[in-house]
Amino acid sequence: MTRLVEYLFFSHLILIAALLIFLAAQGLPRHHHHFRPAHWYPPLLASTGSAAILSLLSQWIAGCSPSKAFKATFWLAPLSTCAVAVLLINVGSVTSLVAGVTALLCAFFLSLYGCWVSPRFYYAIRVLTVSNAPPPLKGKATSLLTLSMLIGTLYSCFLIIGIGGARAGKNNFEALYISILLLSMAWTMQVIKYTLLATITRVKYMYLAAGNDVETSLALRETVKQLMGSICAGSFLVPILGGVWSSARAMKLAAGDTGEFLFSCADCYAGCASTLVMYGNRWGFVHVGVYNKGIMQASIDVWELFRKIELEPLINSDLTGSFCFLSGVAVGATCSLVGGIWAFVIHKSYATELTLFAFFIGYFMCRIAMAWQQACVTAYYVAYAENPQSPRFDNTIPDRIQRLRRLQA
C-alpha cells in the first residue's frame, strides 16, 4: 500500500510539472490586458523569499531561546492575523471583505486560545528545552534544514509561475488549475516536512533510547531510500486525522457543561476522534524512522504505548503542535502583509489573491522549518514512553503527570 502511495506521489509531481509547462506556455508569452505580470509576480516572489528567511529565523530563535519564541508566537500569530484582516477589509471588494472578516474572527479566537493555555506555557517550554538538551545533531543537520527550505522555496516559485499562467490564460478552468496547484503544494510541502521529521526523530530517538549518535546524513539517505512510501501516506493521512482530533478537542472545550445534549455530542465526537488519531499521528513517525514500519502500524503502536503508561492525557495537553501551527500562522500572515501591501500600492485588484497565496506559501514554509523542534519533542515523548526509568530523562514529565492527576482529582 505504501509503495502505491509513493508511486502516486511521484507520478503526481510529473503531472504537475507538465501542467506548469502548459500553463506557462499558454499564459505568459502573450500580451493580456487583464493581467500584468510586472505587478503580479514581484510581490508574490518577494513574499516567498521572506517566507524562507522568516522561517529559518523562527527555527533559530526557537532553538536558542525556546521561552521567548514560545511566548512571542502566541502573541504574534493573532496580532499579525488581525493586521492581515485590516488589509483585506481595506481592499474593499466582496471577496476581500469576507476574507478579512474571517481573518478577524480567527485572530480573536487565537488570542482567546493563547490566554486560555497560558498556564501550560511553563511545561511546554520546559519540554521544548529539555528535548533540545542532548548534544546537537551530528552531521549535516543544519544543511539538511537549509536544503529542505531551498527545495520548498524553488517548488513554491515554480507553482507561482503556474498560477500566474492560469491567471493570464483567463479560461473556464482557471479556478480548477489553481486549486490543483495549491493542493499539490500542500501535499508536497507536507512530504518535505515529514521527511525532515522522520530523519531527525530517528537521530534524537537513538540518542535518547540507546545513547547512540547517528549521522544525520546517513539517517536522511535511509529515509529517502526506504521510507518514502510511509512518509507520503502519512503526509496525506496525519494532517487530516490531526485536524479532526484538534477540532474535537476544541468542540469539547466549547461545549463544556452548558447542555446535556451538546455535551454528549461533543463527547461522542471526541471519542471518535481519539480512535481515529490512533491510525495516523505524528508520533508514529518515530517508529517509521527507527523501525521502518508503515505509518498506520507505527501510529497504533505508539498510541497504545502512550495509553499503557497513562501518557495520553499529557499528550492531549501538549502545546508543541499549537506552537508550530501558530508559528506557521505568524510567518504566513507576515508574508501576506509583504505581498498584500505591495500589491495594494501598485495594483489594488491583485491585493486579495496575492495576500492569500502569500499566506499559503509562508505557512507551509514555516512548518517545514519548525519540523526540527517538533521532531525533538516527538522523539522525547516516544523514547520516554518506552523506558520511563532511563537516566537520560529528568522529572519534567513525571512532575507534569502528577500535577494533571491532582487537577483531575
Side-chain angles (χ1 to χ4, degrees), residues 272-305:
C272 294
S274 296
T275 301
L276 287 174
V277 80
M278 284 184 61
Y279 298 96
N281 55 72
R282 66 176 181 270
W283 297 277
F285 281 99
V286 179
H287 279 199
V288 169
V290 176
Y291 301 116
N292 195 13
K293 295 180 180 179
I295 182 61
M296 291 184 67
Q297 186 59 53
S299 299
I300 292 171
D301 291 346
V302 170
W303 204 258
E304 288 180 347
L305 190 63

mmCIF file of all heavy atoms in Angstrom, residues 272-305:
data_model
loop_
_atom_site.group_PDB
_atom_site.id
_atom_site.type_symbol
_atom_site.label_atom_id
_atom_site.label_comp_id
_atom_site.label_asym_id
_atom_site.label_seq_id
_atom_site.Cartn_x
_atom_site.Cartn_y
_atom_site.Cartn_z
ATOM 1 N N CYS A 272 -14.720 9.504 19.012
ATOM 2 C CA CYS A 272 -14.439 9.034 17.648
ATOM 3 C C CYS A 272 -13.098 9.568 17.144
ATOM 4 O O CYS A 272 -12.316 8.836 16.517
ATOM 5 C CB CYS A 272 -15.557 9.475 16.704
ATOM 6 S SG CYS A 272 -17.162 8.710 17.045
ATOM 7 N N ALA A 273 -12.818 10.848 17.445
ATOM 8 C CA ALA A 273 -11.557 11.441 17.006
ATOM 9 C C ALA A 273 -10.365 10.783 17.691
ATOM 10 O O ALA A 273 -9.319 10.566 17.062
ATOM 11 C CB ALA A 273 -11.565 12.946 17.293
ATOM 12 N N SER A 274 -10.510 10.449 18.973
ATOM 13 C CA SER A 274 -9.432 9.784 19.697
ATOM 14 C C SER A 274 -9.139 8.409 19.121
ATOM 15 O O SER A 274 -7.993 7.950 19.131
ATOM 16 C CB SER A 274 -9.786 9.661 21.185
ATOM 17 O OG SER A 274 -9.897 10.929 21.785
ATOM 18 N N THR A 275 -10.181 7.757 18.611
ATOM 19 C CA THR A 275 -9.977 6.455 17.965
ATOM 20 C C THR A 275 -9.298 6.621 16.610
ATOM 21 O O THR A 275 -8.369 5.882 16.261
ATOM 22 C CB THR A 275 -11.329 5.743 17.787
ATOM 23 O OG1 THR A 275 -11.942 5.570 19.061
ATOM 24 C CG2 THR A 275 -11.133 4.379 17.129
ATOM 25 N N LEU A 276 -9.743 7.614 15.840
ATOM 26 C CA LEU A 276 -9.172 7.831 14.511
ATOM 27 C C LEU A 276 -7.706 8.234 14.571
ATOM 28 O O LEU A 276 -6.903 7.795 13.736
ATOM 29 C CB LEU A 276 -9.971 8.911 13.773
ATOM 30 C CG LEU A 276 -11.364 8.518 13.280
ATOM 31 C CD1 LEU A 276 -12.083 9.729 12.697
ATOM 32 C CD2 LEU A 276 -11.267 7.412 12.235
ATOM 33 N N VAL A 277 -7.350 9.061 15.557
ATOM 34 C CA VAL A 277 -5.979 9.557 15.620
ATOM 35 C C VAL A 277 -4.986 8.440 15.911
ATOM 36 O O VAL A 277 -3.786 8.570 15.649
ATOM 37 C CB VAL A 277 -5.865 10.684 16.678
ATOM 38 C CG1 VAL A 277 -5.760 10.110 18.093
ATOM 39 C CG2 VAL A 277 -4.668 11.582 16.383
ATOM 40 N N MET A 278 -5.469 7.316 16.426
ATOM 41 C CA MET A 278 -4.600 6.159 16.632
ATOM 42 C C MET A 278 -4.010 5.662 15.313
ATOM 43 O O MET A 278 -2.904 5.127 15.284
ATOM 44 C CB MET A 278 -5.371 5.008 17.278
ATOM 45 C CG MET A 278 -5.649 5.151 18.754
ATOM 46 S SD MET A 278 -6.469 3.669 19.395
ATOM 47 C CE MET A 278 -5.231 2.416 19.049
ATOM 48 N N TYR A 279 -4.747 5.846 14.221
ATOM 49 C CA TYR A 279 -4.337 5.279 12.932
ATOM 50 C C TYR A 279 -3.463 6.226 12.118
ATOM 51 O O TYR A 279 -3.031 5.852 11.011
ATOM 52 C CB TYR A 279 -5.576 4.887 12.131
ATOM 53 C CG TYR A 279 -6.395 3.826 12.817
ATOM 54 C CD1 TYR A 279 -7.498 4.171 13.601
ATOM 55 C CD2 TYR A 279 -6.059 2.482 12.716
ATOM 56 C CE1 TYR A 279 -8.251 3.199 14.251
ATOM 57 C CE2 TYR A 279 -6.794 1.510 13.367
ATOM 58 C CZ TYR A 279 -7.892 1.877 14.128
ATOM 59 O OH TYR A 279 -8.628 0.909 14.790
ATOM 60 N N GLY A 280 -3.207 7.408 12.624
ATOM 61 C CA GLY A 280 -2.332 8.331 11.916
ATOM 62 C C GLY A 280 -2.003 9.529 12.778
ATOM 63 O O GLY A 280 -2.843 10.403 12.963
ATOM 64 N N ASN A 281 -0.805 9.567 13.350
ATOM 65 C CA ASN A 281 -0.388 10.698 14.181
ATOM 66 C C ASN A 281 1.100 10.926 14.023
ATOM 67 O O ASN A 281 1.839 10.042 13.573
ATOM 68 C CB ASN A 281 -0.757 10.453 15.657
ATOM 69 C CG ASN A 281 -0.195 9.153 16.188
ATOM 70 O OD1 ASN A 281 1.005 9.030 16.408
ATOM 71 N ND2 ASN A 281 -1.059 8.158 16.389
ATOM 72 N N ARG A 282 1.541 12.130 14.378
ATOM 73 C CA ARG A 282 2.938 12.487 14.132
ATOM 74 C C ARG A 282 3.909 11.684 14.988
ATOM 75 O O ARG A 282 5.070 11.505 14.608
ATOM 76 C CB ARG A 282 3.146 13.981 14.347
ATOM 77 C CG ARG A 282 2.969 14.473 15.764
ATOM 78 C CD ARG A 282 3.302 15.955 15.872
ATOM 79 N NE ARG A 282 3.173 16.478 17.220
ATOM 80 C CZ ARG A 282 2.080 17.001 17.725
ATOM 81 N NH1 ARG A 282 0.983 17.052 16.989
ATOM 82 N NH2 ARG A 282 2.051 17.467 18.956
ATOM 83 N N TRP A 283 3.473 11.186 16.135
ATOM 84 C CA TRP A 283 4.366 10.393 16.976
ATOM 85 C C TRP A 283 4.701 9.063 16.303
ATOM 86 O O TRP A 283 5.734 8.467 16.582
ATOM 87 C CB TRP A 283 3.713 10.165 18.343
ATOM 88 C CG TRP A 283 3.500 11.438 19.081
ATOM 89 C CD1 TRP A 283 4.408 12.117 19.851
ATOM 90 C CD2 TRP A 283 2.311 12.227 19.108
ATOM 91 N NE1 TRP A 283 3.855 13.266 20.354
ATOM 92 C CE2 TRP A 283 2.561 13.360 19.911
ATOM 93 C CE3 TRP A 283 1.052 12.072 18.540
ATOM 94 C CZ2 TRP A 283 1.600 14.331 20.157
ATOM 95 C CZ3 TRP A 283 0.095 13.042 18.774
ATOM 96 C CH2 TRP A 283 0.376 14.157 19.572
ATOM 97 N N GLY A 284 3.843 8.615 15.406
ATOM 98 C CA GLY A 284 4.121 7.384 14.684
ATOM 99 C C GLY A 284 5.338 7.487 13.787
ATOM 100 O O GLY A 284 5.970 6.467 13.463
ATOM 101 N N PHE A 285 5.708 8.704 13.378
ATOM 102 C CA PHE A 285 6.862 8.861 12.505
ATOM 103 C C PHE A 285 8.171 8.474 13.199
ATOM 104 O O PHE A 285 9.167 8.222 12.519
ATOM 105 C CB PHE A 285 6.946 10.302 11.988
ATOM 106 C CG PHE A 285 6.002 10.584 10.858
ATOM 107 C CD1 PHE A 285 4.797 11.215 11.087
ATOM 108 C CD2 PHE A 285 6.315 10.204 9.567
ATOM 109 C CE1 PHE A 285 3.912 11.461 10.044
ATOM 110 C CE2 PHE A 285 5.450 10.443 8.514
ATOM 111 C CZ PHE A 285 4.240 11.076 8.754
ATOM 112 N N VAL A 286 8.168 8.428 14.530
ATOM 113 C CA VAL A 286 9.361 7.953 15.235
ATOM 114 C C VAL A 286 9.607 6.486 14.905
ATOM 115 O O VAL A 286 10.720 6.088 14.533
ATOM 116 C CB VAL A 286 9.214 8.146 16.757
ATOM 117 C CG1 VAL A 286 10.458 7.626 17.473
ATOM 118 C CG2 VAL A 286 8.981 9.611 17.098
ATOM 119 N N HIS A 287 8.560 5.666 14.999
ATOM 120 C CA HIS A 287 8.702 4.247 14.678
ATOM 121 C C HIS A 287 8.865 4.026 13.170
ATOM 122 O O HIS A 287 9.471 3.033 12.757
ATOM 123 C CB HIS A 287 7.498 3.473 15.199
ATOM 124 C CG HIS A 287 7.601 3.148 16.653
ATOM 125 N ND1 HIS A 287 6.852 2.151 17.264
ATOM 126 C CD2 HIS A 287 8.374 3.668 17.637
ATOM 127 C CE1 HIS A 287 7.164 2.088 18.552
ATOM 128 N NE2 HIS A 287 8.066 3.018 18.802
ATOM 129 N N VAL A 288 8.326 4.930 12.363
ATOM 130 C CA VAL A 288 8.572 4.844 10.921
ATOM 131 C C VAL A 288 10.065 4.990 10.645
ATOM 132 O O VAL A 288 10.666 4.210 9.895
ATOM 133 C CB VAL A 288 7.777 5.930 10.163
ATOM 134 C CG1 VAL A 288 8.237 6.011 8.704
ATOM 135 C CG2 VAL A 288 6.287 5.633 10.203
ATOM 136 N N GLY A 289 10.677 6.010 11.261
ATOM 137 C CA GLY A 289 12.096 6.256 11.025
ATOM 138 C C GLY A 289 13.012 5.231 11.652
ATOM 139 O O GLY A 289 14.048 4.861 11.077
ATOM 140 N N VAL A 290 12.658 4.732 12.844
ATOM 141 C CA VAL A 290 13.547 3.829 13.582
ATOM 142 C C VAL A 290 13.351 2.371 13.187
ATOM 143 O O VAL A 290 14.324 1.635 12.985
ATOM 144 C CB VAL A 290 13.331 3.993 15.107
ATOM 145 C CG1 VAL A 290 14.177 2.991 15.877
ATOM 146 C CG2 VAL A 290 13.678 5.419 15.539
ATOM 147 N N TYR A 291 12.087 1.944 13.057
ATOM 148 C CA TYR A 291 11.789 0.527 12.837
ATOM 149 C C TYR A 291 11.278 0.216 11.436
ATOM 150 O O TYR A 291 10.920 -0.928 11.159
ATOM 151 C CB TYR A 291 10.753 0.050 13.863
ATOM 152 C CG TYR A 291 11.201 0.217 15.293
ATOM 153 C CD1 TYR A 291 10.540 1.079 16.160
ATOM 154 C CD2 TYR A 291 12.304 -0.479 15.792
ATOM 155 C CE1 TYR A 291 10.947 1.242 17.480
ATOM 156 C CE2 TYR A 291 12.721 -0.329 17.101
ATOM 157 C CZ TYR A 291 12.032 0.529 17.939
ATOM 158 O OH TYR A 291 12.450 0.688 19.246
ATOM 159 N N ASN A 292 11.214 1.231 10.566
ATOM 160 C CA ASN A 292 10.771 1.029 9.185
ATOM 161 C C ASN A 292 9.361 0.425 9.125
ATOM 162 O O ASN A 292 9.075 -0.460 8.329
ATOM 163 C CB ASN A 292 11.768 0.136 8.429
ATOM 164 C CG ASN A 292 11.556 0.199 6.915
ATOM 165 O OD1 ASN A 292 10.849 1.060 6.415
ATOM 166 N ND2 ASN A 292 12.169 -0.738 6.198
ATOM 167 N N LYS A 293 8.468 0.924 9.961
ATOM 168 C CA LYS A 293 7.083 0.464 9.960
ATOM 169 C C LYS A 293 6.251 1.313 9.003
ATOM 170 O O LYS A 293 6.642 2.425 8.630
ATOM 171 C CB LYS A 293 6.473 0.574 11.362
ATOM 172 C CG LYS A 293 7.105 -0.319 12.418
ATOM 173 C CD LYS A 293 6.404 -0.117 13.756
ATOM 174 C CE LYS A 293 7.004 -0.990 14.841
ATOM 175 N NZ LYS A 293 6.339 -0.769 16.160
ATOM 176 N N GLY A 294 5.082 0.797 8.655
ATOM 177 C CA GLY A 294 4.107 1.618 7.952
ATOM 178 C C GLY A 294 3.531 2.646 8.906
ATOM 179 O O GLY A 294 3.502 2.434 10.120
ATOM 180 N N ILE A 295 3.021 3.743 8.363
ATOM 181 C CA ILE A 295 2.586 4.837 9.221
ATOM 182 C C ILE A 295 1.414 4.435 10.104
ATOM 183 O O ILE A 295 1.342 4.813 11.281
ATOM 184 C CB ILE A 295 2.228 6.094 8.380
ATOM 185 C CG1 ILE A 295 1.817 7.264 9.295
ATOM 186 C CG2 ILE A 295 1.150 5.789 7.370
ATOM 187 C CD1 ILE A 295 2.885 7.708 10.251
ATOM 188 N N MET A 296 0.487 3.625 9.600
ATOM 189 C CA MET A 296 -0.674 3.237 10.410
ATOM 190 C C MET A 296 -0.261 2.315 11.556
ATOM 191 O O MET A 296 -0.664 2.519 12.705
ATOM 192 C CB MET A 296 -1.739 2.576 9.538
ATOM 193 C CG MET A 296 -2.424 3.526 8.570
ATOM 194 S SD MET A 296 -3.769 2.765 7.628
ATOM 195 C CE MET A 296 -4.951 2.447 8.933
ATOM 196 N N GLN A 297 0.565 1.312 11.253
ATOM 197 C CA GLN A 297 1.005 0.399 12.302
ATOM 198 C C GLN A 297 1.871 1.131 13.323
ATOM 199 O O GLN A 297 1.744 0.905 14.537
ATOM 200 C CB GLN A 297 1.804 -0.759 11.689
ATOM 201 C CG GLN A 297 2.177 -1.843 12.696
ATOM 202 C CD GLN A 297 0.958 -2.473 13.350
ATOM 203 O OE1 GLN A 297 0.044 -2.923 12.653
ATOM 204 N NE2 GLN A 297 0.923 -2.502 14.677
ATOM 205 N N ALA A 298 2.732 2.025 12.845
ATOM 206 C CA ALA A 298 3.585 2.792 13.755
ATOM 207 C C ALA A 298 2.747 3.681 14.668
ATOM 208 O O ALA A 298 3.007 3.776 15.874
ATOM 209 C CB ALA A 298 4.573 3.639 12.955
ATOM 210 N N SER A 299 1.721 4.314 14.113
ATOM 211 C CA SER A 299 0.860 5.192 14.908
ATOM 212 C C SER A 299 0.101 4.404 15.965
ATOM 213 O O SER A 299 -0.019 4.839 17.119
ATOM 214 C CB SER A 299 -0.116 5.931 13.992
ATOM 215 O OG SER A 299 0.565 6.747 13.059
ATOM 216 N N ILE A 300 -0.429 3.245 15.577
ATOM 217 C CA ILE A 300 -1.169 2.406 16.527
ATOM 218 C C ILE A 300 -0.257 1.960 17.664
ATOM 219 O O ILE A 300 -0.623 2.023 18.850
ATOM 220 C CB ILE A 300 -1.776 1.188 15.804
ATOM 221 C CG1 ILE A 300 -2.880 1.638 14.846
ATOM 222 C CG2 ILE A 300 -2.323 0.182 16.806
ATOM 223 C CD1 ILE A 300 -3.381 0.548 13.934
ATOM 224 N N ASP A 301 0.955 1.503 17.318
ATOM 225 C CA ASP A 301 1.883 1.008 18.342
ATOM 226 C C ASP A 301 2.272 2.108 19.329
ATOM 227 O O ASP A 301 2.307 1.887 20.547
ATOM 228 C CB ASP A 301 3.142 0.444 17.676
ATOM 229 C CG ASP A 301 2.866 -0.840 16.910
ATOM 230 O OD1 ASP A 301 1.783 -1.423 17.121
ATOM 231 O OD2 ASP A 301 3.718 -1.243 16.091
ATOM 232 N N VAL A 302 2.547 3.304 18.813
ATOM 233 C CA VAL A 302 2.956 4.402 19.695
ATOM 234 C C VAL A 302 1.787 4.840 20.572
ATOM 235 O O VAL A 302 1.961 5.088 21.781
ATOM 236 C CB VAL A 302 3.495 5.585 18.860
ATOM 237 C CG1 VAL A 302 3.689 6.814 19.730
ATOM 238 C CG2 VAL A 302 4.809 5.208 18.195
ATOM 239 N N TRP A 303 0.583 4.933 20.003
ATOM 240 C CA TRP A 303 -0.570 5.379 20.793
ATOM 241 C C TRP A 303 -0.923 4.376 21.887
ATOM 242 O O TRP A 303 -1.275 4.766 23.003
ATOM 243 C CB TRP A 303 -1.767 5.622 19.885
ATOM 244 C CG TRP A 303 -2.748 6.587 20.468
ATOM 245 C CD1 TRP A 303 -3.927 6.306 21.078
ATOM 246 C CD2 TRP A 303 -2.611 8.015 20.527
ATOM 247 N NE1 TRP A 303 -4.540 7.450 21.509
ATOM 248 C CE2 TRP A 303 -3.759 8.525 21.183
ATOM 249 C CE3 TRP A 303 -1.648 8.910 20.086
ATOM 250 C CZ2 TRP A 303 -3.953 9.888 21.404
ATOM 251 C CZ3 TRP A 303 -1.841 10.257 20.289
ATOM 252 C CH2 TRP A 303 -2.981 10.737 20.946
ATOM 253 N N GLU A 304 -0.818 3.097 21.572
ATOM 254 C CA GLU A 304 -1.058 2.072 22.605
ATOM 255 C C GLU A 304 -0.004 2.156 23.693
ATOM 256 O O GLU A 304 -0.294 1.916 24.874
ATOM 257 C CB GLU A 304 -1.070 0.687 21.964
ATOM 258 C CG GLU A 304 -2.312 0.418 21.116
ATOM 259 C CD GLU A 304 -2.295 -0.961 20.498
ATOM 260 O OE1 GLU A 304 -1.220 -1.609 20.509
ATOM 261 O OE2 GLU A 304 -3.350 -1.395 19.987
ATOM 262 N N LEU A 305 1.204 2.504 23.307
ATOM 263 C CA LEU A 305 2.272 2.689 24.298
ATOM 264 C C LEU A 305 1.955 3.861 25.218
ATOM 265 O O LEU A 305 2.147 3.775 26.447
ATOM 266 C CB LEU A 305 3.602 2.918 23.575
ATOM 267 C CG LEU A 305 4.886 2.898 24.399
ATOM 268 C CD1 LEU A 305 5.098 1.521 25.021
ATOM 269 C CD2 LEU A 305 6.073 3.267 23.518
#
